[in-house]
Amino acid sequence: MKKIIFNKGKIFEFEESIPSLKDAPTITHEDATTLLQKTNDLFQRFNIPYMLSSGTLLGAIRDNDFIKGDFDVDIQTNNEQVLLDNLQNLYDNGLKLVRAEKNELYSFRLNDNCYIDVYIISKARKFPWSLYCYKVHDCYLPKSLFTGVEFVDFVNRRIPVPKNPIKLIKWWYGKDWRIPADKNSYYYHYDVWSHYIFVNPKDTIKQIIRRLIGNKTYLAIKSKFKK
């Protein structure tokens, strides 16, 4: 489906093809490496700031590799406008936009085998989270987790990651982040407590129970109820 982005009076047209988690094939190591290398080179060339995110960040720090069984590459940027200004430059160099969700997420492909998600680090717009949080991945994260950038050697490149990346990884994946999790035990460990307290008390109760009995026990009980 053809989509249009209006940016500074200019029109950028692209073919939308929203990646489906259900149908997405496991990304190969070769495809993931090529995609991240290409993205890194183009983002550096056009001065688009970025750093690794989510499972790609976890794999780079824990394994110096991509996580086995993953289906995409994840990065994040704190400058959506610069990204928008360079959509045509990226397209002209083979990195094609296939999804655009303003203030949230942009997805790109080199080919039909895999895609890369670019998450937007934006200001939390709701009080009280606007005082001390950013909004990433549709959740609220303390600004203290995003204090700068450092670099790691990954995919034969110097790749940017959040400063003190383990702090962010622990927030997302818990204290046992060094232990590879199977598909059934994988979960994000994100969001500030105030988000649960002010927005969804049910989530608050779930998080309290999870912390009291441990994640492994919690997920085992949850899977039994699903059956």
Side-chain angles (χ1 to χ4, degrees):
M1 179 184 297
K2 290 288 185 181
K3 290 285 186 175
I4 293 176
I5 294 176
F6 293 95
N7 179 44
K8 296 181 178 180
K10 296 181 179 179
I11 295 176
F12 178 80
E13 187 177 70
F14 70 99
E15 188 71 32
E16 183 180 62
S17 177
I18 299 177
S20 170
L21 296 183
K22 181 179 179 181
D23 301 324
T26 298
I27 192 171
T28 67
H29 185 275
E30 181 180 3
D31 282 336
T33 298
T34 300
L35 182 54
L36 183 54
Q37 287 176 338
K38 182 72 170 182
T39 301
N40 174 76
D41 295 348
L42 290 177
F43 275 42
Q44 284 191 352
R45 176 179 172 185
F46 298 115
N47 297 312
I48 307 171
Y50 89 94
M51 49 189 165
L52 296 187
S53 183
S54 306
T56 306
L57 175 64
L58 174 63
I61 299 300
R62 186 185 66 194
D63 310 318
N64 193 31
D65 202 352
F66 296 99
I67 295 176
K68 292 181 179 179
D70 208 349
F71 47 82
D72 68 351
V73 177
D74 296 302
I75 63 175
Q76 53 197 10
T77 180
N78 61 3
N79 199 324
E80 183 177 15
Q81 187 57 57
V82 174
L83 179 65
L84 289 172
D85 292 345
N86 284 282
L87 290 179
Q88 188 64 54
N89 289 328
L90 297 175
Y91 179 86
D92 291 343
N93 286 275
L95 199 59
K96 299 181 179 180
L97 181 69
V98 295
R99 171 169 55 182
E101 298 176 9
K102 189 176 181 180
N103 299 322
E104 298 284 346
L105 166 69
Y106 295 81
S107 299
F108 297 84
R109 287 186 184 275
L110 280 178
N111 53 44
D112 292 334
N113 298 334
C114 57
Y115 63 94
I116 185 167
D117 282 337
V118 184
Y119 290 95
I120 305 301
I121 304 171
S122 60
K123 294 179 180 178
R125 301 184 183 278
K126 295 182 180 180
F127 184 83
W129 309 291
S130 56
L131 298 175
Y132 64 102
C133 289
Y134 289 127
K135 185 171 179 289
V136 191
H137 291 252
D138 199 30
C139 64
Y140 298 104
L141 297 171
K143 292 179 180 179
S144 60
L145 299 176
F146 301 90
T147 57
V149 174
E150 61 184 74
F151 293 83
V152 297
D153 293 319
F154 188 51
V155 297
N156 295 317
R157 298 288 192 277
R158 292 285 288 166
I159 299 293
V161 299
K163 191 173 182 180
N164 300 317
I166 291 177
K167 290 173 59 178
L168 180 56
I169 290 173
K170 283 183 177 179
W171 194 273
W172 271 331
Y173 297 100
K175 64 181 181 180
D176 296 328
W177 65 275
R178 294 183 184 277
I179 303 173
D182 60 39
K183 187 175 182 180
N184 294 325
S185 64
Y186 172 89
Y187 78 102
Y188 279 118
H189 198 74
Y190 59 54
D191 250 328
V192 294
W193 277 94
S194 61
H195 184 225
Y196 296 121
I197 295 170
F198 290 113
V199 176
N200 195 335
K202 289 183 179 180
D203 283 341
T204 303
I205 295 173
K206 289 179 182 179
Q207 289 297 320
I208 291 174
I209 293 174
R210 173 177 260 167
R211 294 197 178 198
L212 287 175
I213 67 176
N215 187 57
K216 185 176 181 180
T217 303
Y218 174 85
L219 291 170
I221 295 173
K222 186 178 178 180
S223 64
K224 288 183 179 179
F225 276 103
K226 280 187 175 181
K227 294 178 180 179

